[in-house]
Amino acid sequence: MYALLERLKPILRPNAGHITVLAAVALVLIGIESIDTVRSTDTARSGLVLRQCIFLVAGMGMMVMVALPHHRLLVHGAYPLAIVSILTLAVLLLPFLPQSIIPVRNGARRWIDFQVVQVQPSELAKIAFVLALAAYLRYRQNYRTFLGLFVPFAITFVPMGLILVEPDLGTSLIFLPVLFAMLVAAGARLKHLILIVVLGVVATPLMYPLLQPHQKQRIMSQIAQIQGDTSDRDSAGFQAYKAMTTTGAGQFTGYGKERARLILRENALPEAHNDMIFAVIAARWGLAGGLGVLGLYFLLIGSALVVAARHKDPFARLIVVGVATIFVTQVFVNVGMTLGMLPITGMTLPLISYGGSSLVASMVMVGLVLSAAARRPAVMMAGPAFEYDTADAGR
């Protein structure tokens, strides 16, 4: 018991990571209440709240387990974890595996069914990717040349490509923003990154033929919506239209739980407990509630970035930057598609949307931030990228 208390001391000591944890827990509780708003008498939905509470307990346990050891110990497991995540993503694509093991939903193979629980390997891949990229970038200099960016991009495109083939366009979109943010934090030259962005923009139209038919429909539906064309509201644009209608229904203060539940039932919003959960929040708590949720995300991401900015350990700083960017990207895309500003991609709202793999993975990332925040040194020294005081190396 004494040994456990000694290991708990660093993470119990007041630090910016506690703000991250509190914001995360508040978002999860809002998510559970929002899921309960969606709940109806339908048997398939009746157990969602209980299961999400169980996922929260599991996520909190994983958060503490990740935060207890020193973050530098994760260096040794970064590459093995990345290999495991790649293998699990590859398993999803094996055509001979039955649906009892790899269930197919809406034409996508994204889950491994262990009977007791279903796991989404792409959630593990996000964490493994951040750890592997941080382990690679922490003391290297070659990524400051254009050709030196090849390995970081290769580390990115392997899991990204496998996830895109599932297909899961939403999750695959997370990897590139995280890569660029971590490269900037590591000190890569902006002119090289800008050149890559320009080349990517130019090459984007060439990727369109590779998209799935439903993905093309969503993009075309978004273009039609921007042009004011409402002809596909009952087909490809149905979910986007219903999401905007539900979001606007809440006005400034919302309608409360029971009336919001009625609005959701009558509006028949698809995936209301999952991808479209922000519309549920807006219907129940209105614009004020939506802004409050965004404020909590700002608090979570801002406190994580404070941890990164004050840390001298390059590995810890890169991990936290990667985690913060994952949250930023998911929130931006999810809220954007709910408000009709972006095409529907199937990306969840982190910590709020229903889903065990997503919630546990998000709490693990919060644990990584807490682990970094709990260990000194806490004040960044002046000097070139990733220079740190050797006197602090053993802390």
Side-chain angles (χ1 to χ4, degrees):
M1 181 62 70
Y2 177 78
L4 177 61
L5 291 175
E6 285 297 312
R7 296 187 68 182
L8 282 171
K9 278 185 179 180
I11 64 175
L12 293 177
R13 189 183 303 121
N15 59 71
H18 291 166
I19 299 176
T20 310
V21 173
L22 291 174
V25 172
L27 287 166
V28 176
L29 295 178
I30 291 172
I32 291 173
E33 189 61 26
S34 301
I35 293 168
D36 189 53
T37 304
V38 178
R39 179 181 57 83
S40 65
T41 56
D42 180 27
T43 306
R45 295 281 179 87
S46 60
L48 294 183
V49 174
L50 176 60
R51 288 198 290 270
Q52 193 74 347
C53 290
I54 295 173
F55 296 148
L56 171 59
V57 173
M60 293 291 290
M62 290 297 296
M63 180 192 75
V64 174
M65 288 179 62
V66 170
L68 278 177
H70 200 292
H71 55 266
R72 290 178 190 168
L73 296 177
L74 296 174
V75 175
H76 307 294
Y79 292 145
L81 183 63
I83 293 172
V84 170
S85 72
I86 295 299
L87 293 176
T88 55
L89 289 173
V91 166
L92 294 174
L93 305 179
L94 297 177
F96 54 82
L97 290 178
Q99 292 195 23
S100 59
I101 298 176
I102 309 296
V104 179
R105 300 176 186 170
N106 299 322
R109 300 166 64 91
R110 302 176 186 173
W111 300 268
I112 299 178
D113 191 345
F114 292 100
Q115 305 306 314
V116 178
V117 65
Q118 290 188 357
V119 176
Q120 191 170 359
S122 59
E123 295 295 336
L124 170 65
K126 292 189 298 186
I127 300 171
F129 163 68
V130 168
L131 294 176
L133 191 59
Y136 177 80
L137 293 176
R138 57 190 180 128
Y139 295 130
R140 296 180 185 271
Q141 298 286 334
N142 61 331
Y143 56 80
R144 297 184 182 180
T145 66
F146 187 78
L147 293 178
L149 295 174
F150 175 80
V151 173
F153 271 84
I155 294 174
T156 304
F157 284 137
V158 172
M160 181 180 172
L162 290 171
I163 292 171
L164 190 59
V165 173
E166 292 179 3
D168 186 355
L169 178 62
T171 303
S172 67
L173 290 175
I174 295 174
F175 286 78
L176 284 179
V178 174
L179 169 65
F180 277 86
M182 292 179 70
L183 283 173
V184 170
R189 297 184 184 276
L190 289 179
K191 64 179 181 180
H192 295 156
L193 299 179
I194 292 173
L195 176 59
I196 292 171
V197 170
V198 171
L199 292 174
V201 171
V202 172
T204 296
L206 301 177
M207 301 296 293
Y208 183 79
L210 302 178
L211 297 177
Q212 298 291 322
H214 71 277
Q215 294 170 339
K216 295 178 182 178
Q217 286 180 346
R218 288 173 176 175
I219 294 174
M220 297 309 296
S221 176
Q222 178 67 27
I223 295 174
Q225 178 181 292
I226 294 173
Q227 294 174 340
D229 184 356
T230 60
S231 60
D232 66 346
R233 282 186 176 179
D234 294 326
S235 55
F238 180 81
Q239 188 175 19
Y241 172 67
K242 290 296 184 180
M244 289 187 291
T245 303
T246 305
T247 302
Q251 300 184 41
F252 186 76
T253 57
Y255 286 110
K257 189 172 187 176
E258 294 305 320
R259 189 172 177 185
R261 183 178 290 174
L262 178 62
I263 291 172
L264 290 166
R265 186 180 298 119
E266 294 299 322
N267 209 34
L269 174 64
E271 300 296 333
H273 64 297
N274 198 336
D275 302 344
M276 297 291 111
I277 196 74
F278 189 77
V280 178
I281 293 170
R284 179 168 174 182
W285 291 289
L287 176 62
L291 292 176
V293 166
L294 293 179
L296 285 172
Y297 278 120
F298 180 83
L299 193 62
L300 183 151
I301 295 164
S303 59
L305 291 177
V306 167
V307 172
R310 299 178 62 196
H311 222 294
K312 289 185 286 182
D313 186 320
F315 184 62
R317 184 159 20 130
L318 283 171
I319 288 175
V320 177
V321 168
V323 166
T325 308
I326 288 175
F327 282 120
V328 169
T329 305
Q330 287 197 234
V331 173
F332 177 79
V333 174
N334 182 276
V335 174
M337 69 184 191
T338 304
L339 298 179
M341 300 168 61
L342 295 172
I344 302 295
T345 62
M347 185 177 291
T348 58
L349 191 60
L351 299 165
I352 292 183
S353 292
Y354 173 80
S357 295
S358 175
L359 179 53
V360 171
S362 295
M363 294 307 295
V364 167
M365 290 190 286
V366 171
L368 291 173
V369 176
L370 180 59
S371 177
R375 272 82 187 188
R376 297 179 63 189
V379 180
M380 189 168 65
M381 296 177 60
F386 295 164
E387 180 179 331
Y388 65 98
D389 188 356
T390 54
D392 292 319
R395 295 187 182 183

